[in-house]
Amino acid sequence: MNPTKQIVSGLARRQRAEKRFRLYGLTAVVLGMAFLLLLFGSIVANGYKAFTQTYIELPIYFDPAVIDPSSERDHQTLFSADYWKLVKTAVYQKFPQASGRKERRELTRMVSEGSAYELRDQVLENPRLIGTTQHIWLAADDDIDMLMKGYIDRNVPEDERRLNDRIIGYVDSMREVDAIERRFNTTFFAAGDSREPEQAGILGALMGSFLTLIVTLLLSFPIGVAAAVYLEEFAPRNRFIDLIEININNLAAVPSIIFGLLGLAIFINWFGMPRSTPVVGGLVLGLMTLPTIIIASRVSIQSVPPSIKEAALGVGASRMQAMFHHVLPIATPGMLTGTIIGMARALGETAPLLMIGMVAFIVDPPGGFTEPATALPVQIFLWSDSPERGFTERTSAAILVLLVFLIAMNAAAVYLRERVTKRF
Amino acid sequence: MDITETLAIPIPEQLDSPAVPDQADLDLTTVGDFTVPDPRMKIRDVNVFYGQKQAIFDVNLDIGSNSVVAMIGPSGCGKTTLLRCLNRMNDTIDGCRVEGRVEMDDKNVYDRKMDPVLLRARVGMVFQKPNPFPKSIFDNVAYGPRIHGLVRDRTDLEEIVHTSLERAGLLDEVKDRMDQPGTGLSGGQQQRLCIARAIAVSPEVILMDEPCSALDPIATARIEELIGELRKNFSIVIVTHSMQQAARVSQRTAYFHLGYLVEVGSTKDIFTTPKHQLTEEYITGRFG
């Protein structure tokens, strides 16, 4: 048999093997995409309705007798007045058929308790409202919101569902005259945490995450880059440096909760830093991100062609000049990519923040690095623990917001990586 | 341990033995006079080691003023290693150790007090593969004068850049696109840009490590012509694989074999009447 014939006889088998392998690969990709879509799909399906919120239109009479009996427009008086009473009066007037004590309490429960603060803010901003009647859209209670979003099944027996037939009747009657509707949920983006789902927002968590990441970046980027430059360019080759390198690689694999314990023991217990604050969270996450940045920076420094450095040394540049004038500019996009990926990981990190107390219930968005705060993933963790249906959808919505930030950061990393390939 | 694995920069030449004739009984001591009157640099008893492996054995050689010395020899004979000793570029290679003296103005360049930055400003280098910075043509040439503080203002700098490009024979081709990246030039132009970059700091010696090995014959001819011009102002040491090139551009030739300097003399003598058996076999093409 001649060689050509031998090759031909094996060709079909080789082609079959290749086809089979391609099929395996395709199956793996399709499966992966399917799971990803399932994940995203379920989160979006659970969460998208949280971006709207049910509002009820009520004719509020800003009764001077309630708000400002002395007619002095004194700030303190206006601030501490009983605005909830205005809301109650308005609902009673809207549904005069409800007369009993129990029925009236049901009525007032339809409106969010946060409405009183909403009215107060409006009056403080514009005291001329006092004495007038305004049609104002106020946030509905989360149970009403759930009903409007179709999460409450009317076919369930009355005593087993959260809203009785009477309230559903009120809602339906308001629906007929367009006095109740779903609007974009600004509260979700403008408020801090709350016990009431309709008043809860992610602003506090976002601010906390933002402040934490600033500390993380300020700590880990300069130290990481300096360490990478030293290890690549100036470190002598000896046992001690080998040990350091091995430990940096090991550090990258340490479970993040260990860093949280470290932060608790060192930063809070020993240094006496305040608990639950972005500064401690940032320090802990910075230590966690450090090895990632060092490793990424070293890789991108190594990927710069050595001929560039030799050229610089050849005309008499010092090692530092060769590094800073030629190697680092080329390595920068790669280093930034590593940094962004490290920061994205820090943004999604929960466990170490639990250890340092950033898991507390904090209503006011933090105004500085040393004020108590939570972070976005911790907020998700907190809400996912809450029994109210309103928090379930807000959990998914917060996850969506977190994902948007993560995807944006990763896209930035990809963009930078593209730029580095274009330069050569 | 295999040192090549740990190197940031690969050793420039393979150290494994090339195919050479049986030489067990050959005498490898230098034939010919390695000295010249009024030398610019002096290499005395230099031994170079890569880790445990010795790459250069007891080499003595003078680099003359305003002339071209060609270093030839088969692959792995240590000519690039020796060249890189002259401006201490071997410092960047881990595990590389140099013994002996390399003198410039009667000072050992391997002395502790000698700053490699100053040395490399005085002894410039052109590499095997053109390696312009990924910056503009202007900035490529201006880099050396800038870091050494050789210029007071922009006008000075522009003058240096123009003169250097002119001396490198590149000015006419690039004067309209000085802000274009140097990496966008052709291979031969890139190599002339590297030469311009080297002469911009007014070195005394220029080391050329196979400057034409990555170029086509026309670009090679231009570089060789340029070397002839540069000789008037600089001392040049060129490592080459091409014996024809060595014959064309150099006044003296040094033949290396397995880390030994086997024969040195005027280029004419080496190529017409080689005294050592190995030299003769190499230039007549029996191995290489």
Side-chain angles (χ1 to χ4, degrees):
Chain A
M1 210 198 256
N2 69 27
T4 313
K5 268 189 187 161
Q6 268 176 316
I7 292 170
V8 168
S9 70
L11 267 186
R13 186 178 45 78
R14 282 152 65 171
Q15 282 166 354
R16 270 201 310 278
E18 192 172 319
K19 245 182 209 160
R20 212 160 43 230
F21 185 76
R22 285 220 303 249
L23 197 68
Y24 293 153
L26 196 66
T27 317
V29 170
V30 168
L31 268 178
M33 291 305 292
F35 279 119
L36 198 66
L37 280 179
L38 190 71
L39 181 77
F40 281 146
S42 75
I43 292 171
V44 171
N46 276 328
Y48 79 99
K49 281 182 178 165
F51 294 112
T52 63
Q53 156 75 26
T54 305
Y55 287 82
I56 297 173
E57 190 194 36
L58 284 176
I60 301 281
Y61 173 53
F62 289 94
D63 189 352
V66 176
I67 308 173
D68 193 20
S70 58
S71 302
E72 280 168 357
R73 300 288 187 266
D74 177 49
H75 186 271
Q76 190 55 43
T77 319
L78 293 184
F79 188 84
S80 50
D82 184 7
Y83 292 94
W84 185 238
K85 198 170 178 184
L86 303 182
V87 180
K88 281 201 283 195
T89 318
V91 228
Y92 296 159
Q93 275 175 1
K94 197 168 176 89
F95 299 101
Q97 68 267 41
S99 52
R101 199 175 115 82
K102 191 178 162 223
E103 288 175 32
R104 286 190 143 195
R105 211 166 67 208
E106 277 174 4
L107 264 184
T108 54
R109 277 206 197 134
M110 289 172 63
V111 184
S112 166
E113 283 171 37
S115 307
Y117 306 114
E118 164 90 31
L119 292 181
R120 183 190 69 196
D121 292 345
Q122 286 194 13
V123 168
L124 287 177
E125 198 180 302
N126 183 12
R128 272 176 296 178
L129 285 175
I130 299 170
T132 63
T133 301
Q134 304 285 335
H135 287 267
I136 293 178
W137 289 89
L138 293 172
D141 188 69
D142 62 309
D143 283 335
I144 306 294
D145 190 37
M146 290 302 108
L147 177 72
M148 287 291 284
K149 287 172 181 172
Y151 290 122
I152 292 180
D153 187 356
R154 292 166 193 242
N155 299 324
V156 172
E158 190 179 6
D159 53 349
E160 285 177 24
R161 62 178 125 84
R162 287 185 64 88
L163 295 176
N164 59 29
D165 289 341
R166 232 182 353 260
I167 296 181
I168 292 179
Y170 298 149
V171 171
D172 288 343
S173 68
M174 281 194 287
R175 228 182 206 168
E176 275 163 28
V177 295
D178 288 332
I180 186 166
E181 66 181 38
R182 273 163 62 195
R183 297 178 158 195
F184 182 69
N185 187 359
T186 46
T187 312
F188 185 68
F189 294 100
D193 199 5
S194 171
R195 293 280 181 231
E196 300 296 327
E198 75 274 4
Q199 292 174 47
I202 54 163
L203 183 66
L206 267 182
M207 283 299 294
S209 275
F210 178 69
L211 294 171
T212 306
L213 281 192
I214 287 180
V215 177
T216 305
L217 184 68
L218 289 181
L219 178 77
S220 58
F221 185 66
I223 298 183
V225 170
V229 168
Y230 179 79
L231 286 174
E232 275 308 309
E233 183 57 32
F234 299 104
R237 298 262 165 260
N238 58 32
R239 279 277 171 81
F240 180 61
I241 297 292
D242 286 348
L243 195 72
I244 288 179
E245 288 182 3
I246 291 169
N247 275 309
I248 287 172
N249 291 336
N250 284 343
L251 219 52
V254 168
S256 56
I257 196 157
I258 309 287
F259 286 98
L261 277 171
L262 178 102
L264 181 64
I266 308 250
F267 296 132
I268 294 180
N269 276 356
W270 195 18
F271 291 173
M273 287 176 157
R275 266 176 301 156
S276 311
T277 52
V279 62
V280 178
L283 288 174
V284 168
L285 293 181
L287 290 182
M288 195 196 77
T289 316
L290 204 51
T292 315
I293 293 185
I294 294 177
I295 292 168
S297 300
R298 293 189 65 185
V299 169
S300 53
I301 290 175
Q302 281 164 9
S303 70
V304 175
S307 65
I308 302 278
K309 196 180 111 191
E310 287 211 309
L313 294 177
V315 291
S318 65
R319 279 157 81 178
M320 205 184 92
Q321 285 173 327
M323 187 47 115
F324 281 87
H325 295 166
H326 300 287
V327 178
L328 281 188
I330 298 173
T332 301
M335 291 164 129
L336 290 182
T337 306
T339 307
I340 291 172
I341 289 172
M343 297 304 282
R345 197 185 143 204
L347 174 63
E349 199 56 69
T350 322
L353 301 183
L354 302 183
M355 298 307 299
I356 57 153
M358 284 184 87
V359 69
F361 172 72
I362 290 151
V363 175
D364 293 318
F369 294 107
T370 51
E371 288 181 22
T374 53
L376 208 40
V378 180
Q379 186 70 77
I380 291 168
F381 169 76
L382 282 170
W383 282 349
S384 70
D385 238 14
S386 305
E388 288 91 344
R389 187 66 186 72
F391 277 127
T392 311
E393 64 170 17
R394 273 167 179 76
T395 305
S396 295
I399 292 173
L400 281 177
V401 172
L402 181 63
L403 280 177
V404 165
F405 276 99
L406 290 178
I407 291 171
M409 287 171 89
N410 282 320
V414 170
Y415 170 74
L416 283 170
R417 208 161 35 219
E418 288 302 309
R419 274 194 55 195
V420 82
T421 42
K422 263 184 207 158
R423 287 180 65 162
F424 284 100
Chain B
M1 187 177 61
D2 181 9
I3 46 166
T4 52
E5 274 179 15
T6 62
L7 292 183
I9 299 165
I11 296 174
E13 287 183 22
Q14 294 295 314
L15 291 172
D16 45 28
S17 306
V20 287
D22 185 25
Q23 48 170 29
D25 49 346
L26 281 176
D27 183 10
L28 291 170
T29 48
T30 309
V31 176
D33 185 10
F34 59 77
T35 62
V36 293
D38 188 25
R40 198 77 280 277
M41 293 184 90
K42 289 192 274 191
I43 301 167
R44 290 293 178 269
D45 301 317
V46 164
N47 290 283
V48 182
F49 303 84
Y50 289 122
Q52 296 300 310
K53 191 151 184 164
Q54 189 164 2
I56 297 284
F57 298 85
D58 294 319
V59 168
N60 290 282
L61 185 65
D62 280 0
I63 313 296
S65 302
N66 298 343
S67 72
V68 180
V69 182
M71 295 183 179
I72 60 169
S75 292
C77 69
K79 46 196 193 300
T80 295
T81 300
L82 186 66
L83 187 79
R84 291 169 69 99
C85 288
L86 294 176
N87 68 345
R88 289 184 57 176
M89 281 303 278
N90 282 341
D91 289 8
T92 61
I93 298 175
D94 289 319
C96 179
R97 200 171 84 247
V98 179
E99 289 174 2
R101 296 172 64 79
V102 177
E103 290 178 9
M104 190 173 199
D105 294 339
D106 295 321
K107 288 199 192 81
N108 187 3
V109 304
Y110 278 93
D111 196 274
R112 262 165 187 256
K113 278 180 245 160
M114 176 61 90
D115 188 343
V117 167
L118 174 63
L119 175 67
R120 288 174 196 149
R122 297 177 68 191
V123 183
M125 187 155 192
V126 176
F127 296 85
Q128 184 170 359
K129 202 170 150 253
N131 56 355
F133 301 128
K135 296 176 191 285
S136 74
I137 293 170
F138 185 90
D139 285 340
N140 260 284
V141 185
Y143 183 66
R146 264 189 194 137
I147 56 167
H148 295 304
L150 299 181
V151 286
R152 271 172 298 126
D153 51 29
R154 180 84 188 174
T155 331
D156 276 9
L157 187 63
E158 276 174 7
E159 198 186 318
I160 288 191
V161 170
H162 277 257
T163 337
S164 307
L165 283 170
E166 193 167 20
R167 286 163 98 174
L170 192 62
L171 186 61
D172 291 340
E173 292 158 62
V174 300
K175 65 180 170 211
D176 299 327
R177 44 172 176 156
M178 298 283 268
D179 53 346
Q180 303 282 307
T183 40
L185 298 171
S186 75
Q189 287 172 329
Q190 284 189 21
Q191 195 61 299
R192 276 181 281 146
L193 180 63
C194 293
I195 293 175
R197 182 176 65 193
I199 61 185
V201 289
S202 311
E204 296 155 45
V205 182
I206 301 176
L207 310 176
M208 296 187 171
D209 185 3
E210 299 183 36
C212 303
S213 64
L215 304 182
D216 63 71
I218 295 170
T220 302
R222 290 215 57 169
I223 303 272
E224 287 180 3
E225 200 181 314
L226 180 59
I227 293 172
E229 281 293 313
L230 292 174
R231 179 167 71 84
K232 293 169 190 162
N233 299 299
F234 304 97
S235 306
I236 294 173
V237 186
I238 181 169
V239 164
T240 177
H241 259 116
S242 154
M243 282 174 288
Q244 292 81 355
Q245 185 171 64
R248 283 192 299 263
V249 302
S250 71
Q251 285 73 54
R252 285 168 76 230
T253 296
Y255 173 68
F256 288 84
H257 188 88
L258 293 180
Y260 292 90
L261 173 58
V262 170
E263 183 166 353
V264 59
S266 80
T267 300
K268 207 175 121 198
D269 292 346
I270 294 272
F271 282 96
T272 51
T273 54
K275 297 188 186 73
H276 199 284
Q277 185 196 339
L278 281 169
T279 319
E280 193 193 338
E281 286 174 357
Y282 182 69
I283 63 171
T284 52
R286 265 195 260 157
F287 68 93

